[in-house]
Amino acid sequence: MDNFGSKVKWRFSNECVPYEDALAQMDADVKAIQADGDEVIWCLEHPPIYTAGTSSDAKDLVEPDRFPVYKAGRGGQYTYHGPGQRVIYVMLDLNKRGRDIRKFVTKLESWVINTLAQFNVTGHIREGRVGVWVERPEKPMGLNGQIKEDKIAAIGIRLSKWISFHGISINVDPDLDHFSGIVPCGISDHGVTSLVDLGHLTTMEELDSILQEEFEREFG
């Protein structure tokens, strides 16, 4: 289903999309944008998989035989994708939006944080830790009396002639045990969480609607 209600074409997949199919579709979308086609944001879910970013370390793949493992070509390290997690692939033309990668990633982070805020979840960006994090003061303190934090969203992008692809993922209600087969993003002293784990019941459709609204505010 496509929505042409804004300058960006939104695509929503109701069934889990095999990772190879998603890569092929993203490649086609990027080439179309390079030929002055519409920018695209694609919201979907994948079957359970692990993906390795360009900075991944083999030792962080704890259970290599648990799920299929793919080299993603995006930035970052190992991450998990699976049912209950909203993956948002972002194919935008930075030639038209400003060739500033740092600013672009900051806007992606703000987009996620503002979306989570609609569920009364406060997201944080931490130096040296990619993604969006939430504080868990109800959990036992970490080393040096630090408040535990869990990751709720991952960010990893790639550029081709200043067209972005890959993007972000937000944990809605995935099986959090599936993350135990990797060291997510190379960080072992913090955990992962989801909207449902935090007590916020929602649907993918509700999240998609909020993502669209917050995208227009951040990128419009």
Side-chain angles (χ1 to χ4, degrees), residues 8-197:
V8 176
K9 182 172 77 171
W10 286 74
R11 180 185 299 130
F12 304 95
S13 295
N14 297 323
E15 303 293 334
C16 285
V17 178
Y19 193 66
E20 302 97 322
D21 294 352
L23 292 179
Q25 182 61 61
M26 277 194 288
D27 183 63
D29 288 333
V30 167
K31 289 177 179 177
I33 295 168
Q34 290 170 346
D36 205 29
D38 293 325
E39 296 175 303
V40 179
I41 294 177
W42 186 13
C43 298
L44 68 151
E45 294 170 82
H46 286 304
I49 58 170
Y50 296 132
T51 65
T54 53
S55 302
S56 59
D57 188 330
K59 67 179 176 55
D60 291 334
L61 183 58
V62 180
E63 299 181 47
D65 299 323
R66 187 170 186 181
F67 297 124
V69 181
Y70 295 93
K71 290 185 178 180
R74 54 156 175 80
Q77 303 183 46
Y78 280 102
T79 192
Y80 165 77
H81 293 313
Q85 180 192 74
R86 202 47 152 179
V87 176
I88 305 101
Y89 288 134
V90 182
M91 283 71 77
L92 297 179
D93 189 350
L94 272 62
N95 292 293
K96 299 177 180 178
R97 295 177 176 272
R99 293 185 177 187
D100 188 329
I101 298 174
R102 186 181 297 274
K103 181 179 179 181
F104 179 59
V105 172
T106 297
K107 290 176 78 67
L108 290 176
E109 293 169 341
S110 297
W111 180 27
V112 174
I113 289 172
N114 294 337
T115 296
L116 294 174
Q118 297 300 317
F119 296 96
N120 295 316
V121 172
T122 302
H124 300 275
I125 301 303
R126 299 302 189 209
E127 185 175 355
R129 284 194 264 136
V130 179
V132 179
W133 301 79
V134 295
E135 295 182 346
R136 305 301 300 272
E138 74 278 10
K139 289 188 173 183
M141 292 285 189
L143 297 175
N144 302 319
Q146 294 178 330
I147 293 176
K148 282 286 189 181
E149 295 185 340
D150 288 343
K151 191 171 190 175
I152 192 168
I155 298 174
I157 64 166
R158 184 176 177 182
L159 297 178
S160 175
K161 298 180 180 178
W162 292 100
I163 309 299
S164 69
F165 58 120
H166 294 278
I168 64 180
S169 60
I170 298 175
N171 296 334
V172 178
D173 189 21
D175 186 335
L176 295 180
D177 179 65
H178 288 180
F179 287 87
S180 65
I182 56 173
V183 179
C185 298
I187 299 169
S188 59
D189 53 349
H190 294 280
V192 291
T193 189
S194 67
L195 287 171
V196 169
D197 184 48

